[in-house]
Amino acid sequence: MDTGILKIDHGSDVYVIRSCHNEDGSDLLALGGEHSVEIYHISLSSTKRLASFHIGTRVTALAWSPRTLSPSSSDGWLIEIAAAGIDFGLHLLTKSVSLAEHIFPFGGGLSGHHGRVNDMCFCGGRDQESASYVATVSDDRMLMVWDLHPTLDISSWIPSTDTSLNNSSFPHNPRPQPTAYVITFSHPLTTVSSHPASSKELLVSDCRGSIFLTDWRTDPELTEQGSWRHSTLVELVEPHALADSLLGASSQWTGFAAWRRDNVDIIGATYGPRFAIWDMSKLRGGRPTHTGTSFPDRGHAFRWCPTNPDYFAIAAHSIKKGAVLHVHNVGYVHAQPSVINVAPHPHHIRDFDFMALRGQPLLVVAFGRQVAVFSLGDE
């Protein structure tokens, strides 16, 4: 394909994209750029920008709040999304039908991460508290679960390095700063995801081929030894990636893991040139149920399709291949994937996601300053 059915020219490089998978927000899309987060309403024939949040730093991760409601679903619509910046700071971004864009900064300084924040998600299952907790993972080897609405304010307002970013949000914000529950791992962490069927478990992947099903509500001080391993319920391993990392052959690799939304037992991941699928109901010592090769040099990101759960997609990492996606069917995991050529070399895909709109699976792909929106039937 060359242009897709829709295109968004962002004006600056787009580094992160996330579609909203809430039932009442499935037509919303967030773009994280060099200095800002922009929210778009997506239909099959048009795009419309709903909000723009200038956070003043490159965006590295985004996560939609379960409270989000699209204007197409409710007259009392609400946009709420968490964002991480390259400066390790975190931001809660909100806008509603009656209130303008609002930026609430948190997690900066000594209280937060000390390495790049690679991924984040809201967690808590379908509980009412699901919009109160955000999990973040970082190169600093830490998983942090943030309580956005603590009952005790343990810190005063933390000034921003640039108080001109959004004067409506500060400097006199009475909201208590979020507090974090920290679990430390042995290696840099790359992805984190929650599942709507679980209120206490997170899926965490590291850069060396391991995936951890972690109980973030367990207090390690109540166990025999306070350590992250007592919060880990299951550890999954991609054998080739782990072996290569131990031999020093995968120093440039990074892992991407994802939970299949319709089935809490199915997990997918890509490490280096390989992808792997685990069925938790058929554990085999933590080894994957299915493995295969997507891109021989290296894959980038792994996404399940929320509207057709048998589909998953992986992007090419190398710019030599251009902006290319492989779409696989888990029912025919060893068959050749559908190849989608989004744009030629020197473009490459920085990020992509499936929209949760019902009907033909819809992909959103960021390459350079452009975002293409297209259905799988248009490739």
Side-chain angles (χ1 to χ4, degrees):
M1 60 165 289
D2 51 3
T3 60
I5 61 172
L6 296 172
K7 288 184 69 176
I8 301 172
D9 191 346
H10 187 263
S12 67
D13 288 341
V14 178
Y15 294 94
V16 185
I17 61 175
R18 284 295 180 273
S19 66
C20 182
H21 289 181
N22 301 351
E23 184 176 352
D24 294 324
S26 60
D27 54 6
L28 298 179
L29 176 68
L31 309 180
E34 192 68 52
H35 304 289
S36 64
V37 176
E38 295 190 350
I39 309 299
Y40 283 83
H41 176 268
I42 305 294
S43 72
L44 295 179
S45 59
S46 65
T47 65
K48 179 183 178 181
R49 190 171 69 177
L50 299 178
S52 180
F53 302 92
H54 185 83
I55 64 174
T57 186
R58 180 185 298 178
V59 179
T60 62
L62 293 168
W64 283 98
S65 165
R67 297 205 309 147
T68 296
L69 294 171
S70 169
S72 64
S73 300
S74 173
D75 291 335
W77 58 269
L78 170 68
I79 292 169
E80 183 170 80
I81 189 168
I86 196 69
D87 60 355
F88 318 147
L90 306 175
H91 311 267
L92 186 65
L93 316 176
T94 54
K95 182 181 180 180
S96 69
V97 64
S98 58
L99 296 175
E101 286 91 340
H102 182 274
I103 301 175
F104 175 60
F106 67 98
L110 297 178
S111 65
H113 286 289
H114 298 90
R116 175 190 168 105
V117 178
N118 294 313
D119 200 11
M120 62 197 314
C121 68
F122 280 80
C123 50
R126 297 186 177 94
D127 293 350
Q128 293 182 350
E129 294 182 336
S130 61
S132 298
Y133 298 99
V134 173
T136 56
V137 292
S138 168
D139 285 343
D140 63 10
R141 306 178 183 182
M142 290 191 293
L143 162 67
M144 291 188 173
V145 180
W146 299 86
D147 182 354
L148 298 178
H149 304 282
T151 56
L152 178 65
D153 184 6
I154 62 172
S155 64
S156 60
W157 175 80
I158 300 175
S160 170
T161 56
D162 184 357
T163 57
S164 66
L165 294 182
N166 190 329
N167 290 330
S168 66
S169 301
F170 46 89
H172 299 294
N173 195 326
R175 180 172 178 171
Q177 277 288 307
T179 55
Y181 170 59
V182 181
I183 302 176
T184 302
F185 289 76
S186 298
H187 304 289
L189 303 177
T190 53
T191 61
V192 61
S193 55
S194 60
H195 198 281
S198 174
S199 63
K200 64 178 184 177
E201 294 159 344
L202 290 169
L203 191 70
V204 180
S205 66
D206 69 16
C207 66
R208 288 169 59 98
S210 293
I211 300 172
F212 308 93
L213 188 63
T214 301
D215 181 356
W216 64 272
R217 291 186 184 268
T218 296
D219 185 351
E221 298 301 326
L222 300 180
T223 61
E224 295 180 1
Q225 297 177 353
S227 90
W228 66 269
R229 287 205 173 272
H230 290 275
S231 299
T232 298
L233 305 177
V234 177
E235 180 176 350
L236 307 176
V237 177
E238 205 297 300
H240 294 93
L242 186 59
D244 288 343
S245 68
L246 293 174
L247 294 173
S250 61
S251 59
Q252 63 173 343
W253 290 0
T254 182
F256 298 85
W259 227 331
R260 189 163 134 171
R261 193 170 177 85
D262 73 316
N263 190 332
V264 73
D265 288 324
I266 305 300
I267 294 166
T270 179
Y271 284 94
R274 285 171 289 273
F275 67 83
I277 308 294
W278 287 265
D279 185 343
M280 299 280 289
S281 66
K282 303 173 183 177
L283 282 177
R284 306 187 307 164
R287 292 179 292 116
T289 307
H290 302 290
T291 60
T293 298
S294 192
F295 292 97
D297 46 2
R298 183 181 172 189
H300 172 69
F302 184 110
R303 302 274 186 257
W304 290 104
C305 177
T307 56
N308 191 329
D310 285 341
Y311 289 171
F312 64 90
I314 301 170
H317 181 270
S318 172
I319 62 174
K320 296 179 181 179
K321 292 185 175 296
V324 181
L325 278 170
H326 284 178
V327 179
H328 298 259
N329 187 322
V330 74
Y332 306 92
V333 71
H334 296 298
Q336 289 296 312
S338 297
V339 180
I340 301 178
N341 294 295
V342 181
H345 173 81
H347 293 291
H348 73 283
I349 294 174
R350 282 207 175 97
D351 201 6
F352 74 95
D353 204 358
F354 284 96
M355 296 291 293
L357 286 166
R358 294 298 174 184
Q360 185 78 9
L362 205 64
L363 272 164
V364 187
V365 180
F367 54 103
R369 298 185 174 190
Q370 296 184 338
V371 176
V373 185
F374 56 92
S375 68
L376 290 186
D378 295 323
E379 77 250 28

